[in-house]
């Protein structure tokens, strides 16, 4: 949608009248369970403040642990993450085609204290269009290569 059409929709008609749906992330558990979450729906989950260093500068994100998001599709955790399920991984997809994976065991608080979040705010403000509205933030990782910007989908898959 062009900027002017967007402006017209918002000021004259309201976004709903123009058939705009709010951006959402799609979640596929690979187990028959799927979900979609808008920023507002994600905001209803308990938010955490995440202090991180990015390119040498400290930044504060707000978001939800990825494990809480994956609970929406009943991802295996704790005792369920054994045997075959240990070959399960999360594929994170972005609007620009960028992709990154995490092993499910990396994301389960029963396995690890490693922090991985789905963030929606930076320094108190919603993420910019270039960065968000959803971004992975993993403050314990020394390189931010898996801090996927503009996340569109989270898919649980099984390594072949
Ligand atoms: N969608 C998307 N996310 C991405 C990337 C990308 O190319 N596309 N690059 C990654 C890499 S390699 C780095 S170092 C950081 C850079 O984040 P910045 O652009 O906010 O500095 O984003 C990561 N997330
Ligand atoms: Mo990078």
């Amino acid at each position: 949608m062009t900027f002017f059409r967007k402006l017209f929709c918002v000021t004259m008609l309201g976004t709903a009248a123009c058939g705009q749906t709010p951006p959402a992330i799609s979640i596929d558990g690979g187990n028959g369970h799927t979900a979609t979450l808008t920023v507002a729906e994600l905001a209803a989950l308990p938010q955490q403040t995440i202090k991180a260093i990015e390119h040498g500068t400290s930044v504060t994100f707000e978001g939800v642990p990825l494990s809480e998001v994956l609970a929406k599709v009943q991802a295996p955790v704790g005792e369920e993450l054994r045997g075959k399920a240990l070959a399960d991984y999360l594929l994170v997809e972005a609007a620009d085609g960028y992709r990154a994976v995490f092993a499910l065991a990396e994301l389960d608080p029963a396995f690890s204290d490693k922090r991985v979040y789905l963030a929606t705010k930076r320094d108190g403000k919603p993420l910019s269009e270039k960065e968000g509205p959803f971004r992975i933030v993993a403050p314990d990782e020394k390189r931010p290569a898996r801090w996927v910007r503009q996340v569109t989908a989270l898919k649980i898959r099984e390594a072949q």
Side-chain angles (χ1 to χ4, degrees):
M1 189 178 303
T2 66
F3 173 75
F4 289 107
R5 180 158 161 74
K6 207 183 251 178
L7 192 69
F8 179 75
C9 285
V10 171
T11 55
M12 305 298 290
L13 301 168
T15 49
C18 280
Q20 257 187 304
T21 46
I25 194 165
S26 75
I27 311 158
D28 177 358
N31 54 358
H33 296 282
T34 58
T36 56
L37 279 179
T38 61
V39 173
E41 286 164 341
L42 198 74
L45 299 177
Q47 302 295 305
Q48 293 196 14
T49 300
I50 309 138
K51 289 192 188 306
I53 305 288
E54 190 192 43
H55 307 301
T57 308
S58 41
V59 50
T60 303
F61 290 96
E62 274 166 61
V64 174
L66 214 39
S67 55
E68 304 280 344
V69 178
L70 298 181
K72 295 269 173 203
V73 292
Q74 293 172 40
V77 285
E79 283 294 309
E80 299 152 2
L81 252 184
R82 66 200 304 159
K84 211 163 88 65
L86 286 173
D88 285 357
Y89 61 91
L90 177 72
L91 173 63
V92 181
E93 295 182 347
D96 61 350
Y98 195 76
R99 304 192 301 167
V101 304
F102 293 89
L104 272 201
E106 274 187 282
L107 303 174
D108 181 1
F111 271 79
S112 160
D113 289 329
K114 177 187 179 71
R115 298 165 301 159
V116 187
Y117 302 93
L118 188 62
T120 48
K121 284 188 180 172
R122 162 190 290 266
D123 294 330
K125 297 191 210 81
L127 296 180
S128 70
E129 215 167 295
K130 185 175 157 268
E131 185 176 24
F134 307 99
R135 184 179 195 175
I136 300 291
V137 173
D140 302 317
E141 299 200 339
K142 290 192 271 185
R143 293 190 61 224
R146 292 199 289 184
W147 297 23
V148 181
R149 288 187 253 102
Q150 298 182 310
V151 177
T152 54
L154 301 174
K155 298 175 178 173
I156 296 175
R157 295 289 180 255
E158 192 188 314
Q160 296 304 300

